Amino acid sequence: MSKKHTTLTLKYLGINTHKEPVIYMREDCYICKSEGFTAQTRVRVILNERSIVATLNTVESNLLRHNEASLSIYAWELLAAKEGEKIALTHPQQLDSLSYIRSKIYGNELTAEQTTHIINDIVSGQLSDINIAMYLAASGGDRLSMKEIIDLTRAMIHSGQQLSWDIPFIVDKHSVGGLPGNRTTPIVVSIVAAFGLVIPKTSSRAITSPAGTADTMEVFTNVDLSINEMKKVVEQENGCLVWGGSMALSPADDLLIRIERTANIDSEGQMVASILSKKIAAGSNHLVIDMPIGTTAKVRSIERANSLKKLLKTVAEEFDIRTKVIFSDGSQPVGRGIGPVLEALDVLAVLNCDKHAPQDLREHALVLAAHIIEFSPQVLPGQGLSIATHLLNTGKALAKFEAICRAQGGLREIKKAPIVHTVESKLSGIIINIDNRHISQLAKLAGAPRSKAAGVELLSPLHSIVKKSQPLFRIYADTRGELNYALDFLKQGHEVFQIEASV
Amino acid sequence: MSKKHTTLTLKYLGINTHKEPVIYMREDCYICKSEGFTAQTRVRVILNERSIVATLNTVESNLLRHNEASLSIYAWELLAAKEGEKIALTHPQQLDSLSYIRSKIYGNELTAEQTTHIINDIVSGQLSDINIAMYLAASGGDRLSMKEIIDLTRAMIHSGQQLSWDIPFIVDKHSVGGLPGNRTTPIVVSIVAAFGLVIPKTSSRAITSPAGTADTMEVFTNVDLSINEMKKVVEQENGCLVWGGSMALSPADDLLIRIERTANIDSEGQMVASILSKKIAAGSNHLVIDMPIGTTAKVRSIERANSLKKLLKTVAEEFDIRTKVIFSDGSQPVGRGIGPVLEALDVLAVLNCDKHAPQDLREHALVLAAHIIEFSPQVLPGQGLSIATHLLNTGKALAKFEAICRAQGGLREIKKAPIVHTVESKLSGIIINIDNRHISQLAKLAGAPRSKAAGVELLSPLHSIVKKSQPLFRIYADTRGELNYALDFLKQGHEVFQIEASV
């Protein structure tokens, strides 16, 4: 085999497969033939000092010439490739991580080394989406032991950057989620930073929900900051409200979440590792975790909440993180809006102390801020709430919020969605149940979080009395197609509000 | 939204993704924008009466014009699409099967309806590879209950064609596999058909092994027959040796196997459903299952063998199938060759009663044939072996084998691989272990089963005494690249033969 045949020249085709590395080669090319590569073969692609494993898609002669190959955009990025460069191709070695995943499927406990190996292979692009999906499913439910969760957390921390701070006392908050509209973070950060504690808050975008905190904050300001830019904001304002993704904190987490999202799964062990790895990588050492409990929230029972709390506290202790887990009412959405823009409007109303602001959001944010403030050695237990309330009522929290937004790149104007549809009650009676999952679904079908202004606005809270034809909620969408998709969901009989008729 | 914008015209790009339906659309096309489609979105594609759910890959303007879209070759086939036809696109409805898979990940038992729903959605192309992978991983190990395995078997039977026969007495055999070279089927079918029982044998191609029976039989003759062609062969010769894939018997099985293969997993419940659904769909009612047991075979311990046997017999009973499970020695490969051509040569030697034929393969095939023959009401228990031996020794089995091959389309000439490499013993001593998994790996790295002639030929059996430099085995390959890949595996220290030095 002469040397000149072992490389192919890169041609750019511009095919975007999201985060799946794909290589495109001609079925009749020399390398495919000599190496026995066919469609869906996993192929190692080597360029300069870098190498990835990509899935092969074969193409016909209309797209590539002899001696040419192409890559999906993600693979171009992983390899930092340029058109015209020459890649070498081999069979990938048997990946040890694949046998560890298999072992996990068969119910074995993985060692720390095995977990680290899997996570590193995910981050460096060696494992296919199918392999990652199998790892996640095999770890689902309660199939990770405490030791495995700790190992996974550590592996995820080390998979990316770790922030370090000159101050020894760094606070943070996290919400376990599942409760639509529970957008306390911007309010909590503003109060805590106004109090003087350092809270370098990084948030995620939506995983399976209609909006993540980063999606909502992006309505107000730029959230896509480099680590240095973020540090500058925190030095100046004590806090920030940025997207964690651009920080490369626990990058494994983002890759796992990408696959979890396609099946809407979010397992207990993965959840704990995901939460804590981000916080620890961000350098926090004092953490308040908000855990709403409700039949349609992510945590549905007090038993589950206690088990998750124990898991979180045990793993956090292992990494010397002081943690408080705060249970809250998850029986109905918090605030009125569900979707980035609609939630942003709720946040703004609370910070403005607007008398029409959703009181549940205000109170919930104050309680969380109080718990964080009480981490401070100068504050006596029980004092936190009055301190937080004072900072909110005097406008100091609002001023801090605006200062943080300006430091991150300026305050943006909020634009509402062009298409609005109001859903009315079909009967008179009392609202006896609100289905959080169906509301989230509806907001997502309407386009959230991709369409910032899309979502659902709730007009009548749980236990309130409604008349026939009284508006229950509004659906906002950017396009009529998306609105129709949401309406189809309702037409299929999915119930959002359960109303008991008055007699 | 005007009607004319809701369709796109199909353009053929010839991208082969194997069995993953992919749609290629321009990121800036009207539908992507209005529906909010981005790379990796799942999109429902509708053409005439058919519809599938495909994964979106976005492309730039160099590949498609405005109002054009393309499909992966598998998606073209599923939709029976022609270039220039117009497809409609929508968001897929929330798939119920996805919540059932999620439920399985969380450890719940699925109902019959839920399992059927998942299998039907897999066969009709609604679920992505990622979703199928999660279903498989969540069902891995022993995570399917007996009821779930029965439900899965039934769902798989109904997912495709079912053969019916005029004769009430149909026999069949299956090997659980994992033992390289265990190619008894062509011999067993020839003996049993020569005896006069009806054995319409459909076989699979390799799942995780270097050769499936269909791969080996393809060395001899055409195995890709339609149901009618197969029935004609069976009517004429009592038996056949065809590939099951073209029969569309339990097509779900092939789709599951495709994903299992990428991770080399093969779970107990899935295995039972896979084996029995194919046999039942083929109309068999008397089944002998060969189960080799050995530390490196698929079934590693007698406990595991007993549990699998119980599972197989219980599920088979549910479908009124008489089943015998035969345990056999899985401590070393059967025969000498591993890989389609090399195994075919072993089969031919046994049928020819060649004095150099591998005796272990001969004996193993005779035992299995004897058990099948004893299903016959005319045969007393214990008589089977002498009947089978007589049919083999008198050349009647060989004559039947050749008649079957001719009926399937003619006997083919066998071609050996151009590249051969002999591996010699590094020391004098006794062979105390042969690693089946590493031998299979080696044969696969050398190109089997894709390259028919590739594989491994064993020259020294377990427990035999070897001298330094004595040949232990040969590697056959079509290309030097593949040979090198196999040799690299050895260089990495993977042991195939364990030799205890003589003192």
Side-chain angles (χ1 to χ4, degrees):
Chain A
M1 186 162 35
S2 74
K3 197 72 188 170
K4 65 175 173 156
H5 283 120
T6 57
T7 62
L8 293 175
T9 303
L10 280 177
K11 180 181 160 73
Y12 186 77
L13 288 178
I15 302 179
N16 186 351
T17 60
H18 198 58
K19 297 271 180 183
E20 168 87 357
V22 174
I23 178 163
Y24 302 89
M25 290 167 67
R26 278 174 65 153
E27 204 155 34
D28 60 355
C29 91
Y30 179 86
I31 294 180
C32 278
K33 279 189 176 166
S34 69
E35 296 289 327
F37 293 157
T38 56
Q40 231 192 23
T41 301
R42 298 277 293 163
V43 178
R44 179 165 298 283
V45 186
I46 304 153
L47 174 63
N48 304 324
E49 300 295 286
R50 303 191 190 207
S51 116
I52 57 168
V53 179
T55 300
L56 174 62
N57 283 187
T58 55
V59 300
E60 296 175 6
S61 54
N62 50 342
L63 291 189
L64 294 172
R65 281 191 277 192
H66 266 299
N67 299 324
E68 279 184 345
S70 187
L71 300 168
S72 64
I73 289 175
Y74 183 61
W76 279 99
E77 288 168 5
L78 282 174
L79 289 169
K82 289 186 207 71
E83 188 156 27
E85 287 191 301
K86 286 191 194 312
I87 51 169
L89 299 152
T90 65
H91 288 267
Q93 286 188 350
Q94 278 300 104
L95 287 172
D96 289 333
S97 52
L98 217 49
S99 41
Y100 307 149
I101 292 174
R102 201 153 53 236
S103 173
K104 189 69 213 159
I105 291 172
Y106 292 138
N108 301 316
E109 186 180 65
L110 299 183
T111 66
E113 290 68 32
Q114 290 173 332
T115 298
T116 304
H117 211 114
I118 292 171
I119 294 299
N120 289 346
D121 278 359
I122 289 173
V123 173
S124 63
Q126 314 296 312
L127 287 168
S128 73
D129 284 0
I130 287 174
N131 302 144
I132 299 172
M134 286 183 166
Y135 172 60
L136 286 170
S139 313
D142 55 358
R143 295 202 184 107
L144 290 181
S145 70
M146 183 65 81
K147 192 188 154 300
E148 284 179 310
I149 299 171
I150 292 167
D151 293 342
L152 177 61
T153 306
R154 186 172 288 113
M156 286 169 74
I157 294 169
H158 291 152
S159 74
Q161 298 252 25
Q162 287 174 260
L163 301 188
S164 60
W165 302 91
D166 298 333
I167 317 116
F169 201 94
I170 304 289
V171 301
D172 213 334
K173 80 148 282 252
H174 183 84
S175 177
V176 168
L179 197 59
N182 191 13
R183 202 55 58 215
T184 53
T185 299
I187 306 166
V188 171
V189 168
S190 302
I191 295 172
V192 169
F195 174 70
L197 288 175
V198 176
I199 183 161
K201 185 78 185 77
T202 65
S203 301
S204 55
R205 297 191 186 275
I207 303 174
T208 58
S209 71
T213 296
D215 300 309
T216 301
M217 276 311 298
E218 208 169 32
V219 172
F220 291 112
T221 186
N222 172 40
V223 296
D224 196 354
L225 275 68
S226 71
I227 289 182
N228 283 337
E229 290 166 339
M230 177 229 203
K231 284 197 159 184
K232 223 176 256 173
V233 173
V234 174
E235 266 166 37
Q236 188 184 315
E237 302 295 343
N238 288 337
C240 66
L241 284 152
V242 302
W243 175 48
S246 54
M247 306 279 129
L249 303 173
S250 188
D253 189 41
D254 302 329
L255 293 164
L256 294 175
I257 282 172
R258 172 177 69 94
I259 305 291
E260 285 174 350
R261 190 181 310 188
T262 74
N264 227 349
I265 63 160
D266 201 349
S267 90
E268 195 157 293
Q270 293 283 352
M271 201 194 302
V272 169
S274 164
I275 293 169
L276 293 177
S277 67
K278 288 266 193 225
K279 299 299 165 195
I280 297 166
S284 323
N285 41 38
H286 290 76
L287 180 59
V288 162
I289 295 172
D290 173 27
M291 191 180 292
I293 306 164
T295 48
T296 57
K298 189 169 278 175
V299 179
R300 302 193 209 181
S301 67
I302 190 77
E303 291 74 29
R304 177 94 203 282
N306 276 321
S307 121
L308 204 53
K309 175 180 177 171
K310 201 180 136 200
L311 223 51
L312 280 162
K313 285 187 81 85
T314 312
V315 177
E317 249 168 49
E318 196 69 26
F319 294 92
D320 288 325
I321 309 297
R322 265 194 72 194
T323 308
K324 291 189 220 175
V325 178
I326 313 297
F327 294 165
S328 61
D329 175 18
S331 65
Q332 64 175 327
V334 175
R336 294 198 194 97
I338 292 106
V341 160
L342 296 167
E343 293 174 23
L345 292 171
D346 281 353
V347 164
L348 210 55
V350 170
L351 285 169
N352 273 315
C353 296
D354 186 325
K355 64 180 175 179
H356 300 297
Q359 288 308 302
D360 54 350
L361 180 63
R362 174 187 156 96
E363 278 158 29
H364 194 39
L366 283 171
V367 167
L368 295 173
H371 278 288
I372 298 175
I373 287 172
E374 287 179 10
F375 273 136
S376 169
Q378 296 94 311
V379 177
L380 294 176
Q383 284 188 333
L385 192 60
S386 63
I387 295 174
T389 307
H390 181 76
L391 290 165
L392 184 59
N393 287 349
T394 54
K396 288 190 176 146
L398 174 65
K400 180 54 80 178
F401 179 75
E402 290 175 344
I404 289 172
C405 288
R406 276 193 304 269
Q408 289 187 192
L411 262 164
R412 288 177 183 162
E413 193 195 339
I414 301 180
K415 280 182 211 135
K416 293 189 84 173
I419 293 168
V420 187
H421 176 94
T422 304
V423 176
E424 297 172 349
S425 180
K426 286 178 189 150
L427 68 172
S428 298
I430 182 162
I431 299 172
I432 57 164
N433 189 35
I434 297 181
D435 190 313
N436 290 333
R437 282 158 208 271
H438 286 168
I439 288 181
S440 290
Q441 199 64 46
L442 210 55
K444 286 196 286 180
L445 295 175
R450 208 185 41 250
S451 306
K452 288 253 177 266
V456 173
E457 184 185 11
L458 300 172
L459 305 172
S460 306
L462 188 61
H463 305 311
S464 63
I465 291 161
V466 290
K467 295 221 171 74
K468 186 164 189 287
S469 303
Q470 182 177 328
L472 292 176
F473 58 91
R474 292 197 189 101
I475 303 171
Y476 291 77
D478 274 349
T479 68
R480 200 149 285 279
E482 286 165 313
L483 174 65
N484 286 338
Y485 192 35
L487 292 176
D488 283 349
F489 181 74
L490 293 177
K491 279 183 204 141
Q492 284 158 28
H494 292 98
E495 221 169 35
V496 173
F497 280 66
Q498 206 182 333
I499 296 171
E500 200 173 73
S502 30
V503 275
Chain B
M1 189 161 39
S2 75
K3 197 72 187 169
K4 65 175 173 153
H5 283 120
T6 58
T7 63
L8 293 175
T9 303
L10 281 176
K11 181 182 162 73
Y12 186 78
L13 288 179
I15 302 179
N16 186 350
T17 59
H18 199 57
K19 298 270 181 184
E20 168 87 354
V22 174
I23 178 163
Y24 302 89
M25 290 165 67
R26 278 174 64 154
E27 204 156 30
D28 59 355
C29 91
Y30 180 85
I31 294 180
C32 278
K33 279 190 177 168
S34 69
E35 297 289 328
F37 293 158
T38 55
Q40 229 190 26
T41 300
R42 299 279 291 162
V43 178
R44 178 164 299 284
V45 186
I46 304 153
L47 174 64
N48 305 322
E49 301 294 287
R50 302 190 191 207
S51 115
I52 57 167
V53 179
T55 300
L56 173 62
N57 284 186
T58 55
V59 300
E60 295 174 8
S61 55
N62 52 341
L63 291 188
L64 295 172
R65 280 191 276 192
H66 266 298
N67 299 324
E68 280 184 344
S70 188
L71 300 167
S72 65
I73 289 176
Y74 182 61
W76 280 98
E77 288 167 4
L78 282 176
L79 288 170
K82 288 185 207 75
E83 189 157 26
E85 287 191 303
K86 285 190 193 314
I87 50 170
L89 299 154
T90 65
H91 288 267
Q93 286 187 349
Q94 277 300 105
L95 287 171
D96 288 334
S97 52
L98 216 49
S99 40
Y100 306 150
I101 292 173
R102 201 154 52 235
S103 173
K104 190 68 212 158
I105 291 171
Y106 291 139
N108 301 315
E109 187 179 63
L110 298 183
T111 66
E113 291 69 32
Q114 291 173 331
T115 298
T116 304
H117 211 115
I118 292 172
I119 294 301
N120 290 347
D121 278 358
I122 289 173
V123 172
S124 62
Q126 313 297 311
L127 287 169
S128 72
D129 284 1
I130 287 174
N131 302 144
I132 299 173
M134 286 185 167
Y135 172 61
L136 287 168
S139 313
D142 55 0
R143 295 203 185 108
L144 291 181
S145 71
M146 184 63 83
K147 193 189 155 293
E148 284 179 309
I149 299 171
I150 293 168
D151 293 341
L152 177 62
T153 306
R154 187 171 288 115
M156 287 169 74
I157 294 168
H158 292 150
S159 75
Q161 298 252 25
Q162 287 174 260
L163 302 187
S164 60
W165 301 92
D166 298 334
I167 317 115
F169 202 94
I170 305 288
V171 302
D172 213 333
K173 81 147 280 253
H174 182 84
S175 178
V176 169
L179 199 59
N182 191 15
R183 203 54 59 216
T184 53
T185 298
I187 307 166
V188 172
V189 168
S190 303
I191 296 172
V192 169
F195 173 71
L197 287 177
V198 176
I199 183 163
K201 185 80 184 78
T202 65
S203 300
S204 56
R205 299 191 185 276
I207 301 175
T208 58
S209 71
T213 296
D215 300 310
T216 301
M217 276 309 300
E218 207 169 35
V219 173
F220 291 112
T221 185
N222 172 37
V223 295
D224 195 354
L225 276 69
S226 70
I227 289 183
N228 284 336
E229 290 167 340
M230 175 227 202
K231 284 197 157 185
K232 223 176 254 173
V233 174
V234 174
E235 266 166 37
Q236 187 185 315
E237 301 296 344
N238 289 336
C240 66
L241 285 152
V242 302
W243 175 48
S246 55
M247 307 279 132
L249 304 172
S250 188
D253 190 40
D254 301 330
L255 294 165
L256 292 175
I257 281 171
R258 169 178 70 92
I259 303 292
E260 285 173 351
R261 189 181 310 187
T262 72
N264 227 349
I265 63 159
D266 201 348
S267 90
E268 195 157 293
Q270 294 282 353
M271 201 194 300
V272 168
S274 164
I275 293 169
L276 293 177
S277 67
K278 287 265 193 226
K279 299 300 165 196
I280 296 166
S284 322
N285 42 41
H286 292 75
L287 179 59
V288 162
I289 295 172
D290 173 28
M291 192 180 293
I293 305 163
T295 49
T296 57
K298 189 169 279 178
V299 179
R300 301 192 210 183
S301 68
I302 190 75
E303 291 74 31
R304 177 92 203 281
N306 277 321
S307 121
L308 204 52
K309 176 179 178 173
K310 201 181 134 199
L311 222 50
L312 279 162
K313 285 187 80 85
T314 311
V315 177
E317 249 168 49
E318 195 71 24
F319 294 93
D320 288 325
I321 309 296
R322 267 195 71 195
T323 309
K324 291 190 218 174
V325 178
I326 314 298
F327 294 165
S328 61
D329 175 18
S331 65
Q332 64 175 324
V334 175
R336 294 198 194 97
I338 290 104
V341 160
L342 297 166
E343 294 174 24
L345 292 170
D346 281 353
V347 165
L348 209 56
V350 170
L351 285 169
N352 273 316
C353 296
D354 186 326
K355 65 179 173 178
H356 299 297
Q359 289 307 301
D360 54 350
L361 179 63
R362 173 187 157 97
E363 280 159 29
H364 194 41
L366 283 171
V367 167
L368 294 174
H371 278 288
I372 297 176
I373 288 171
E374 288 179 11
F375 273 136
S376 169
Q378 296 94 311
V379 177
L380 293 176
Q383 284 188 335
L385 192 60
S386 64
I387 296 173
T389 308
H390 181 76
L391 289 166
L392 184 59
N393 287 349
T394 55
K396 288 193 177 145
L398 175 64
K400 179 54 79 180
F401 179 76
E402 290 175 343
I404 289 172
C405 287
R406 278 193 303 270
Q408 290 188 191
L411 262 164
R412 288 177 183 163
E413 194 194 337
I414 300 181
K415 280 180 212 136
K416 291 188 85 172
I419 294 168
V420 188
H421 177 94
T422 304
V423 175
E424 299 172 347
S425 181
K426 286 177 190 152
L427 67 172
S428 299
I430 183 163
I431 299 173
I432 56 163
N433 189 36
I434 297 182
D435 190 315
N436 290 333
R437 281 157 209 271
H438 285 170
I439 287 181
S440 291
Q441 198 63 46
L442 209 56
K444 286 196 288 179
L445 294 176
R450 210 184 39 248
S451 306
K452 289 252 175 266
V456 173
E457 185 185 11
L458 299 172
L459 305 171
S460 306
L462 189 61
H463 303 310
S464 63
I465 292 162
V466 290
K467 296 223 172 70
K468 188 165 187 290
S469 304
Q470 182 176 327
L472 292 176
F473 59 92
R474 291 195 190 102
I475 303 171
Y476 291 77
D478 274 349
T479 67
R480 201 149 286 279
E482 286 165 312
L483 173 64
N484 286 338
Y485 193 36
L487 293 176
D488 283 346
F489 180 75
L490 293 177
K491 278 182 207 146
Q492 285 158 28
H494 292 100
E495 221 168 33
V496 173
F497 281 66
Q498 205 182 335
I499 297 171
E500 199 172 74
S502 29
V503 274

